[in-house]
């Protein structure tokens, strides 16, 4: 529809002014502001001509000096420089306690309560041939349950045949990555063998999230990654499964 594909992000310095954020849906599960969100921060689904757009409208901001990740969902900039969002979360990138203010059962800007940015496939990594982290993906119907590191569910379906939020799957070692695939596709598939990917939100089945970049060859990604079947994956142990 004319919008970039994927979830964008912006990196700021520690001098970026912090502005108020009004949380309208999940204020009681959000980390309070202010957040260092520039007025021109890219919004997921934003079109180049500025025309109206909908969708999840995520805004991701990384403060490189403070090692903090700020994430908003359903975000709208306001005329006075502040922002309005459904909810938001602040993650500490320099600590194993990534969200000190978070609690079990809390959502974030993501349905699973996870940070979004660490699970994105980014072009620079893929083009280098190596992605050194797990990825995030979506499923059309999740279970009313979650498994750590997720903290939240987003479904009323209690069937054990449905995946809980945070479920990690891994590409089987027996899957042979075709040598004919592009460097980017091979890097993504190797990351899925080494680190796997986690259910992070409801959406289209098996959709991996990436950051927008004009250098992605979307046709190649669709044909190459789309040739991999669900049967080529295995589910890792779900220790600590929470069923509210």
């Amino acid at each position: 529809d004319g919008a970039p594909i994927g979830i964008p992000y912006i990196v700021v310095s520690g001098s970026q002014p912090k502005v108020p954020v009004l949380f309208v849906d999940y204020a009681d599960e959000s980390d309070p502001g202010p957040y260092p969100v520039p007025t021109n921060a890219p919004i997921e689904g934003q079109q180049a001509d500025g025309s109206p757009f909908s969708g999840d409208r995520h805004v991701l901001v990384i403060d490189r000096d403070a090692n903090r990740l700020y994430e908003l969902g359903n975000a709208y900039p306001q005329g006075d420089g502040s922002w309005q969002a459904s909810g938001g979360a602040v993650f500490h990138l320099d600590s194993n306690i990534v969200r000190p203010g978070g609690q079990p059962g809390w959502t974030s800007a993501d349905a699973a309560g996870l940070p979004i940015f660490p699970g994105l496939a980014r072009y620079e990594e893929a083009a280098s041939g190596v992605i050194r982290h797990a990825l995030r993906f979506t499923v059309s119907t999740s279970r009313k349950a979650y498994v750590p590191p997720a903290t939240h569910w987003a479904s009323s379906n209690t069937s054990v045949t449905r995946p809980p939020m945070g479920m990690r799957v891994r590409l089987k070692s027996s899957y042979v990555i075709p040598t004919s695939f592009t460097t980017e596709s091979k890097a993504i598939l190797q990351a899925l063998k080494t680190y796997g990917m986690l259910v992070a939100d409801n959406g289209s089945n098996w959709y991996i999230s990436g950051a927008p970049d004009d250098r992605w060859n979307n046709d190649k990604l669709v044909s190459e990654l789309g040739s991999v079947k669900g049967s080529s994956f295995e589910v890792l142990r779900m220790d600590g499964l929470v069923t509210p």
Side-chain angles (χ1 to χ4, degrees):
D1 296 328
I5 300 172
I7 303 176
Y9 65 92
I10 187 170
V11 180
V12 300
S13 69
S15 62
Q16 176 64 41
K18 293 183 177 180
V19 298
V21 181
L22 174 64
F23 299 116
V24 296
D25 295 313
Y26 303 104
D28 58 339
E29 298 179 17
S30 295
D31 295 314
Y35 286 27
V37 186
T39 55
N40 64 341
I43 306 170
E44 180 187 9
Q46 188 171 29
Q47 301 189 45
D49 61 5
S51 57
F53 57 96
S54 57
D56 289 341
R57 299 179 63 97
H58 287 117
V59 170
L60 315 182
V61 179
I62 301 165
D63 183 334
R64 63 171 178 260
D65 295 325
N67 288 313
R68 296 292 183 267
L69 168 63
Y70 299 82
E71 299 191 340
L72 302 174
N74 199 30
Y76 290 84
Q78 305 299 296
D80 61 358
S82 66
W83 286 74
Q84 177 179 299
S86 291
V90 181
F91 298 95
H92 291 213
L93 305 181
D94 53 358
S95 170
N96 286 330
I97 305 175
V98 295
R99 190 182 176 192
Q103 300 293 328
W106 280 23
T107 187
S108 61
D110 213 1
L114 296 167
I116 296 170
F117 175 77
L120 297 180
R122 290 177 284 138
Y123 181 80
E124 292 85 355
E125 292 180 303
S128 76
V130 182
I131 297 176
R132 295 184 173 88
H133 58 84
L135 299 175
R136 73 188 294 277
F137 77 109
T138 58
V139 296
S140 62
T141 306
S142 59
R143 193 195 316 179
K144 186 181 178 181
Y146 64 87
V147 61
T151 60
H152 186 260
W153 67 94
S155 174
S156 59
N157 193 314
T158 57
S159 171
V160 296
T161 64
R162 301 300 180 184
M165 288 295 174
M167 184 187 79
R168 187 189 294 255
V169 300
R170 181 172 58 196
L171 190 58
K172 294 177 180 177
S173 60
S174 59
Y175 177 83
V176 178
I177 300 174
T179 58
S180 61
F181 279 11
T182 61
T183 298
E184 293 79 20
S185 291
K186 288 189 286 188
I188 290 171
L189 292 174
Q190 184 57 55
L192 296 183
K193 274 192 171 188
T194 306
Y195 304 102
M197 59 182 179
L198 293 83
V199 177
D201 204 349
N202 297 316
S204 299
N205 281 327
W206 298 107
Y207 270 39
I208 297 173
S209 301
D213 195 299
D214 291 338
R215 293 171 292 179
W216 287 116
N217 186 326
N218 293 311
D219 291 338
K220 283 285 189 181
L221 287 174
V222 169
S223 63
E224 294 176 350
L225 300 182
S227 69
V228 184
K229 305 300 182 184
S231 57
S232 294
F233 289 87
E234 56 191 354
V235 177
L236 274 64
R237 283 175 48 180
M238 294 192 288
D239 293 337
L241 180 70
V242 177
T243 54

